[in-house]
Amino acid sequence: MSEKSLSKKFSIGLNLTPDENDNRKLLEDYHQYLSSLYFSFPMGMQYYSRLGIKDEFQDEDSAQRLFNVLTYAKELGVRRELALNTYHLSDLDIDYAIEFTKKFGIIPEEIVCLKEYGEKIRKAFPNCELKYSFNNTDYQDIPKCFDTVVVGKRYLRSKEMRHQLLESGYNLVLLLNNGCSFTCPGPCRNGTECRKIVAQQLLTSTPSELYALESFFPEELTRLLETDSCSDQYRFKLNTRPLGLTYTRRVLEAYLGHFSSDELIEASPQSYGLFGAAASLFSLAKQFDFQEIKKIKSCLLYTSPSPRDT
């Protein structure tokens, strides 16, 4: 499988750095593989799905750096993807985001949002690609205003579930490395709730069993690309924000190069976090048995569980 087949396939999160040249260099190195760069505007905590994002906007120059990086992304052919996928935004919050976006002078090519915001955002941005966020919990009644659906969890294991969405007329983005619990009913909550879910899972499963199911190795992406007749229609999202540029480079290189997980994890057990980024999962890394994980992954059945378990 060549890197060429992954051209313009990946979405990564923008980790805004004090020196914008660091962001520019990352884009220069990987733009041919990047479909989009997802980001948040500095509009307040209610718009951030990760608490660490607020630290990126502490200094007075941050907004200008953000503008510069997003402008450069467009010059390189990387689509700008505005994230409006946090819970409990009011109509006024959405109106402010729309106004801020236009006033800031960056009209995103893509917007990822929750179900209840879709119609309002579509009216404001009729030409953007509207993405149904992974943070949604209902995949049974997706409004037609959305062009694309972002999925993870069991969709990574089920070809039939993926094809059902394609047949419904939606584009598909697969979130590869989030590491979320398959038993989480959603919506996405804080780390405390995630740890409670994992603790419950550990009553019946080993840490290695959880990691084997909920992580996604480069070899598994290779298998998906080679065995799914619709794989050329998929794009792939990576959880990289706010994990930093070094993490972003490492996880991109691993998936683009179809690296061997054996070599990566043997060199550094920290590499477990590349393919299952959820802190509640990675916190168990010292208890992982890599040989057990490989054995479980080799036996995973790509079945078709209930679409509710997304």
Side-chain angles (χ1 to χ4, degrees), residues 1 4 29 67 85 144 151 166 192 198 215 220 265 287 296 300 304:
M1 187 65 60
K4 184 178 180 180
D29 291 344
F67 179 88
N85 57 350
K144 291 301 181 182
V151 297
L166 290 176
T192 300
V198 169
S215 62
E220 295 177 281
I265 290 172
Q287 302 175 58
I296 295 168
L300 281 176
S304 300

Side-chain angles (χ1 to χ4, degrees), residues 156-157 176-180 211 214-220 238 247 250-255 259-262 264-265 270-278 281-282 297:
L156 297 175
R157 308 284 177 206
L176 298 182
N177 70 325
N178 216 42
C180 284
Y211 183 83
E214 296 166 3
S215 62
F216 205 71
F217 282 170
E219 300 96 312
E220 295 177 281
L238 298 178
Y247 178 94
R250 288 190 65 202
V251 72
L252 270 172
E253 288 289 346
Y255 283 119
F259 284 4
S260 164
S261 57
D262 297 64
L264 289 169
I265 290 172
Q270 291 292 315
S271 295
Y272 280 120
L274 297 177
F275 315 117
L281 183 63
F282 181 67
K297 281 184 176 291

Side-chain angles (χ1 to χ4, degrees), residues 6 25 30 32 46 55 57 59 73 86 92 94 99 101-102 108 115 138 172 193 197 200 221 227 254 261 278 280 309:
L6 293 173
K25 185 63 166 64
Y30 296 102
Q32 63 267 45
Q46 69 267 39
D55 297 330
F57 300 126
D59 64 85
T86 54
L92 286 177
I94 298 297
E99 181 182 347
T101 300
K102 295 180 177 180
K115 177 180 182 178
D138 176 15
L172 205 57
E193 292 300 319
I197 292 171
Q200 189 66 32
L221 176 59
T227 61
S261 57
S280 54
D309 298 321

